[in-house]
Amino acid sequence: EQALVHDDAEKAFSFAAPNIQMMMRSPEGFMAMVQQGYAPVYRHRSFEFGESEGQDGIFAQKVRIIDDKGKPWDALYMLKQFPDGVWRITGCVLSEVGTDA
């Protein structure tokens, strides 16, 4: 979240799982994907961490996001712990609050 706030593409890219890094190919490509596909994550007023669940090196984290226009969104981040001990994001499902999307 802080890497995105500060437009730190290198840092944001470092939190992505290897398969996502391979798909995006570069920090700049990753940042462009976030800007276009996850605008509420990229520019937001607040992040509120909710419930989380995890087992066997897999973790799901719920986050309530208020975008820069004041609209609420729910995000479900999936994370995995890799052999180097670092947790990385393997996916994110983003949905506008109040819709079935």
Side-chain angles (χ1 to χ4, degrees), residues 33-94:
M33 179 270 300
V34 173
Q35 290 169 349
Q36 293 170 14
Y38 297 88
V41 174
Y42 177 63
R43 288 295 180 246
H44 59 276
R45 290 184 187 173
S46 67
F47 260 56
E48 181 181 326
F49 291 88
E51 295 179 22
S52 60
E53 295 182 18
Q55 71 179 31
D56 300 326
I58 304 292
F59 189 74
Q61 173 69 58
K62 292 181 182 180
V63 181
R64 171 62 56 94
I65 300 168
I66 306 299
D67 71 15
D68 61 351
K69 296 173 183 69
K71 188 180 295 185
W73 297 78
D74 285 332
L76 180 63
Y77 283 90
M78 285 69 67
L79 300 104
K80 179 180 176 183
Q81 189 173 29
F82 285 83
D84 60 3
V86 175
W87 288 88
R88 292 192 174 87
I89 299 167
T90 59
C92 177
V93 176
L94 184 63

